[in-house]
Amino acid sequence: MMYFPSLFSSLEIKMMTDTLLTISFSIVCAVAGIAYAFYLSRWVLKLDAGNPKMRAIQAAIQEGAEAYMARQFKTILPIAAVLFILLWMAGFWSHHFGFVTAMGFLVGGAASAVSGYAGMMVAVRANARTAQAAKGGMNSALQVAFRGGAVTGLLLLSLSLLSIAVFYAVAIAIVGMEKTIPALLSLGLGGSLISLFARVGGGIYTKAADVGADLVGKVEAGIPEDDPRNPAVIADNVGDNVGDCAGMAADLFETYAVTTVATMALAHMLYPASPSAILFPLALGGVAILTTIIGSWFVRLGPGGGIMPALYKGFAATGVLSAIAFYPVTAYFMGGVGNVSTMNYHLTALIGLGVTLLLVVVTDYYTSKTFRPVRGIADASVTGHGTNIIAGLAISLESTALPVLVICASILAAHSLAGLFGVAIAAEAMLTMAGIVVAIDSFGPITDNAGGIAEMADMGKKIRDITDPLDAVGNTTKAVTKGYAIGSAGLAAIVLFSEYVRSISPSHARTLSQSGAMVFDLSDPDVLVGLFMGGMLPFLFAAMLMKAVREAASSIVEEVRRQFREIKGIMKGEAKPDYGKCVDIVTRAAIRKMILPSLLPVLAPIIVGIVLGPTALGGVLVGTIVTGLFIAISMTSGGAAWDNAKKFIEEGHHGGKKSPAHQAAVTGDTVGDPYKDTAGPGINPMIKVANLVAVLLAALLFSE
């Protein structure tokens, strides 16, 4: 039966008007973002892709990326189908579930997959064009790489907002608000599931290929990185795209979507008499797309020629424009809501933007070649492999302190201004920067591939002198994006945990506060058991991924050794390696090994919730958030620091390439690769999947 709001209620008439206007605005902005992404992709694809050799290399990378993504989607499809049916069938046990909830899951998963895949395929085609554009100078190459990456950033932000706005409008018209909230959370779960598989599978792929190529090519054979004689070089370049483009896009798509729907759910629960609060996140998202488009115009080299400052100009412009534009939106939607002033709500949004800036600065400090941490690891490499590893581990542990303090300060400040909803607004405002952040992130794999193509196509030192600095900066931008993603995931998980607590009915709660909300008492053994089990999950998850990379990389090492041994003339450049064999090996390994760790955050909350109940499950969520945040930051920052320490030495410091210090740095980078690109980033969606599964389980089993 269709649900129609009462025509005689002024509150519901206002809600209908606000809903129609806000959804229309959100859809228009989302369509504008998609249109601009299409314009940028057309601009990139019209450029010259270089000589036939460059085109052939790009085609091989593109073919490998498409083959991997096709296998990944085929693997995910049966799992997604089972979850779709379970969510649909759950309607027989709970009135919160049903077909609309299952459709939300499908919409979220499809939108996440499309944003990652489409953005990645443009990035794959931008790499040779970036190398060719380097003939026109640094700024020409920078523009191609950034605009290719901006397609991914705009698509993830626009498709996420479009899917939420359209689905919200349809769902509320069909089933009403009470069933729409679980359906929105299910949409977030669909995006999270795709993100988890993309992050885990892509991470295993990219680092297995990278580690395998480096161990045999650099260490044993002594040939340069991206040397066409290395049979694993194409697989390595494919991995950059499926891991850092598709994986990161899906990651931040689901983080943005999950934060938005969780904030909407929290607004419905806290301010049922103020429907405009539910629409507020959609309005912020629409404004953010427009500021991202404008901010991208500011990316260009200045008089000093600095690459990172050029990228940060776009980031800063987007942040400043958002800070200004958010105020009228906040005044319209949140004025008078919850006895909190408009300025306080706006300040919480500014806190979210400020957290983004601080996390970027802190991550840049720990991963850039300019500062103490990376140079300290390079210095330690002079005395051997062991001291390099010790220094890198020390930096990875140290790098957790400042980001966590920033997150803690933001939570306290936002909560003091506007309570729990203030924390949610801060997280939402932080995620509105995802478009420009991912544009800067996708710049990294594009420039990495451009450098590889320049090396394989013998474009000469002049071109490499342009692509190498772009690649080095891209390595830092990828690390900065991972720090941003993890920080935003921490705030999003807090909002989700709050939703979980409020989903538990008093009859299922062991301890209640004076307001009737569930309380977790540390003297309760179920809470303690849950905390320990939750704290264990990120460690177990990371161990599975590190082991998967090791096993897959070993297969690549053996294959590269075999080709060097059996295919005569490879080292002299007289015979062509079998690139396809390495691509096939790492593709099969990544698909096979991504399933078990990806199911861990889905099954663990279900088992704990059913066996031990909601109290222990709440402890699991808290433990997962706390330990997961620390492990993720440690691995991503530490791994990037190891990588840039190697690059710092390769620039001629401490003896340069092939020196003992360089050999030690390669060992550190080999350890850091699965840290920063597989295990660390994978924990981000893992935390949110566990929380979303718990929230939906609570709505199914532990609510009225």
Side-chain angles (χ1 to χ4, degrees):
M1 181 179 292
M2 298 291 285
Y3 171 85
F4 294 99
S6 170
L7 298 176
F8 304 99
S9 167
S10 60
L11 176 63
E12 291 189 355
I13 291 174
K14 182 181 185 304
M15 182 178 179
M16 288 176 59
T17 304
D18 286 347
T19 300
L20 181 62
L21 290 174
T22 306
I23 289 176
S24 299
F25 173 73
S26 301
I27 292 174
V28 168
C29 291
V31 171
I34 294 170
Y36 191 65
F38 180 75
Y39 161 75
L40 290 179
S41 65
R42 294 284 296 172
W43 183 88
V44 170
L45 295 178
K46 285 181 179 179
L47 298 175
D48 183 10
N51 58 46
K53 189 172 184 179
M54 294 169 65
R55 293 172 184 265
I57 296 168
Q58 177 190 284
I61 297 171
Q62 180 181 328
E63 181 182 349
E66 289 177 344
Y68 171 78
M69 294 299 289
R71 289 193 190 183
Q72 179 175 270
F73 289 146
K74 287 179 182 178
T75 304
I76 297 172
L77 190 60
I79 299 172
V82 170
L83 290 174
F84 175 85
I85 294 171
L86 289 175
L87 287 168
W88 188 356
M89 298 299 291
F92 291 105
W93 286 273
S94 172
H95 70 279
H96 294 296
F97 290 80
F99 180 73
V100 173
T101 306
M103 283 302 300
F105 173 80
L106 186 64
V107 169
S112 177
V114 169
S115 66
Y117 182 81
M120 183 201 72
M121 294 318 297
V122 173
V124 166
R125 290 167 171 80
N127 49 28
R129 290 167 171 83
T130 299
Q132 181 69 13
K135 292 182 176 181
M138 181 70 77
N139 191 58
S140 297
L142 171 70
Q143 292 299 322
V144 177
F146 175 76
R147 293 186 179 188
V151 173
T152 306
L154 285 167
L155 283 179
L156 84 87
L157 201 59
S158 302
L159 285 173
S160 182
L161 182 64
L162 183 65
S163 62
I164 295 170
V166 172
F167 182 77
Y168 175 74
V170 173
I172 200 170
I174 296 175
V175 296
M177 179 60 74
E178 292 304 320
K179 285 190 176 182
T180 295
I181 296 301
L184 283 173
L185 294 171
S186 183
L187 185 151
L189 178 62
S192 293
L193 187 72
I194 293 295
S195 168
L196 185 63
F197 277 104
R199 259 301 180 201
V200 170
I204 294 171
Y205 187 114
T206 183
K207 290 305 106 179
D210 193 3
V211 169
D214 283 353
L215 286 178
V216 184
K218 284 186 178 181
V219 177
E220 295 182 7
I223 59 178
E225 187 173 2
D226 298 318
D227 193 298
R229 293 173 292 179
N230 192 328
V233 70
I234 295 295
D236 185 11
N237 283 281
V238 171
D240 291 331
N241 292 282
V242 301
D244 284 316
C245 282
M248 177 56 77
D251 186 350
L252 281 173
F253 174 98
E254 64 92 14
T255 303
Y256 176 78
V258 166
T259 304
T260 300
V261 299
T263 303
M264 294 172 72
L266 190 62
H268 171 64
M269 192 167 292
L270 293 176
Y271 309 122
S274 302
S276 62
I278 302 173
L279 303 170
F280 182 48
L282 298 179
L284 286 182
V287 170
I289 291 174
L290 301 181
T291 58
T292 300
I293 292 173
I294 298 172
S296 67
W297 300 340
F298 287 80
V299 175
R300 59 184 65 254
L301 288 177
I307 301 168
M308 190 65 87
L311 296 172
Y312 281 167
K313 280 190 289 188
F315 173 82
T318 302
V320 170
L321 290 171
S322 297
I324 296 170
F326 283 173
Y327 184 80
V329 176
T330 305
Y332 181 81
F333 286 92
M334 298 304 296
V337 174
N339 296 319
V340 177
S341 69
T342 297
M343 181 54 68
N344 276 19
Y345 282 125
H346 182 59
L347 288 175
T348 61
L350 295 185
I351 287 171
L353 296 176
V355 170
T356 302
L357 173 62
L358 290 175
L359 288 179
V360 166
V361 170
V362 170
T363 308
D364 184 54
Y365 170 73
Y366 276 103
T367 59
S368 172
K369 294 178 295 183
T370 307
F371 303 110
R372 172 190 63 83
V374 168
R375 295 196 174 193
I377 297 174
D379 292 341
S381 303
V382 175
T383 51
H385 300 256
T387 48
N388 171 281
I389 297 297
I390 292 170
L393 288 174
I395 292 301
S396 72
L397 296 172
E398 179 189 321
S399 66
T400 62
L402 288 177
V404 169
L405 289 175
V406 168
I407 293 171
C408 291
S410 68
I411 293 171
L412 292 174
H415 194 277
S416 68
L417 289 168
L420 182 59
F421 195 64
V423 178
I425 293 175
E428 179 69 23
M430 185 177 179
L431 264 302
T432 60
M433 295 289 288
I436 193 69
V437 171
V438 170
I440 294 172
D441 171 81
S442 295
F443 168 90
I446 291 174
T447 55
D448 191 350
N449 277 198
I453 290 174
E455 177 73 26
M456 287 184 277
D458 299 318
M459 296 184 72
K461 184 177 182 299
K462 182 180 178 181
I463 301 300
R464 287 308 301 253
D465 286 344
I466 291 175
T467 59
D468 283 353
L470 290 171
D471 180 20
V473 168
N475 191 54
T476 300
T477 64
K478 288 186 288 185
V480 164
T481 304
K482 293 181 180 77
Y484 163 80
I486 293 162
S488 62
L491 288 178
I494 292 170
V495 179
L496 285 172
F497 178 72
S498 301
E499 181 64 23
Y500 170 78
V501 172
R502 294 171 184 276
S503 299
I504 307 296
S505 68
S507 62
H508 288 91
R510 188 168 299 173
T511 307
L512 295 173
S513 66
Q514 292 181 350
S515 63
M518 186 177 185
V519 173
F520 294 91
D521 187 349
L522 289 178
S523 65
D524 188 332
D526 280 357
V527 174
L528 291 174
V529 168
L531 286 171
F532 280 117
M533 293 180 69
M536 170 196 72
L537 289 178
F539 285 93
L540 183 59
F541 180 81
M544 289 179 174
L545 296 189
M546 294 290 285
K547 183 180 178 182
V549 171
R550 194 273 301 169
E551 292 174 351
S554 295
S555 300
I556 292 296
V557 167
E558 293 300 324
E559 174 60 22
V560 174
R561 286 173 176 170
R562 183 195 67 80
Q563 292 197 32
F564 279 158
R565 184 174 61 250
E566 297 179 5
I567 302 178
K568 306 302 180 183
I570 284 184
M571 294 306 294
K572 295 181 180 179
E574 298 172 354
K576 183 179 179 181
D578 186 356
Y579 300 121
K581 182 66 174 177
C582 288
V583 170
D584 184 65
I585 288 173
V586 75
T587 297
R588 291 178 182 273
I591 295 296
R592 186 176 65 253
K593 295 179 183 299
M594 77 177 182
I595 297 174
L596 183 58
S598 296
L599 291 178
L600 179 65
V602 176
L603 297 178
I606 295 175
I607 294 171
V608 172
I610 293 174
V611 175
L612 298 178
T615 302
L617 180 53
V620 166
L621 300 183
V622 174
T624 300
I625 293 169
V626 173
T627 61
L629 187 65
F630 279 94
I631 296 172
I633 294 173
S634 173
M635 286 184 160
T636 53
S637 295
W642 259 314
D643 192 349
N644 272 342
K646 178 200 69 176
K647 285 182 166 57
F648 181 73
I649 292 173
E650 288 176 343
E651 291 177 352
H653 304 280
H654 303 305
K657 292 182 179 180
K658 298 185 180 181
S659 67
H662 183 240
Q663 293 174 355
V666 169
T667 299
D669 180 38
T670 303
V671 176
D673 271 342
Y675 254 48
K676 69 182 175 66
D677 289 328
T678 309
I683 291 173
N684 178 13
M686 177 255 182
I687 293 172
K688 294 192 292 299
V689 167
N691 277 268
L692 277 167
V693 170
V695 171
L696 292 171
L697 187 69
L700 179 63
L701 300 179
F702 309 130
S703 65
E704 296 294 349

